[in-house]
Amino acid sequence: MKDFVEYLVKNLVDETADVQVACQEADDGMHLEVRVAKPDIGKVVGREGRTVRALRTLVQTIGARHGKRIRIEILD
């Protein structure tokens, strides 16, 4: 899942070298922390949060199929 999220985010931003995805496993699921460069935060979040909402929906749907809860947090 980490590689999938990293692939998606790298295709959204200009500075792909600054994209970092950290994964923390928990009993009930997974927590992903996505770090991007400051100028790229707006591209990942999108207008009114639509892009990050779509990314979260996609990842949560995939996690539900595997019986896991997956959360994404965008950091700068």
Side-chain angles (χ1 to χ4, degrees):
M1 185 59 63
K2 175 186 170 189
D3 295 331
F4 177 66
V5 172
E6 187 173 349
Y7 171 77
L8 290 175
V9 173
K10 280 187 176 183
N11 283 303
L12 292 173
V13 299
D14 290 331
E15 298 179 32
T16 59
D18 293 338
V19 174
Q20 297 174 351
V21 179
C23 177
Q24 298 174 351
E25 293 282 335
D27 292 336
D28 62 342
M30 188 181 306
H31 181 77
L32 297 170
E33 292 180 349
V34 179
R35 292 186 185 271
V36 296
K38 285 201 181 268
D40 290 329
I41 291 176
K43 293 178 183 176
V44 175
V45 173
R47 185 172 289 151
E48 296 180 9
R50 290 180 187 162
T51 305
V52 74
R53 191 176 318 130
L55 181 62
R56 287 177 176 149
T57 301
L58 181 63
V59 170
Q60 288 172 356
T61 303
I62 293 170
R65 288 186 175 196
H66 295 288
K68 291 187 177 182
R69 183 169 188 232
I70 302 174
R71 295 180 39 213
I72 295 180
E73 184 176 347
I74 308 297
L75 306 173
D76 59 343

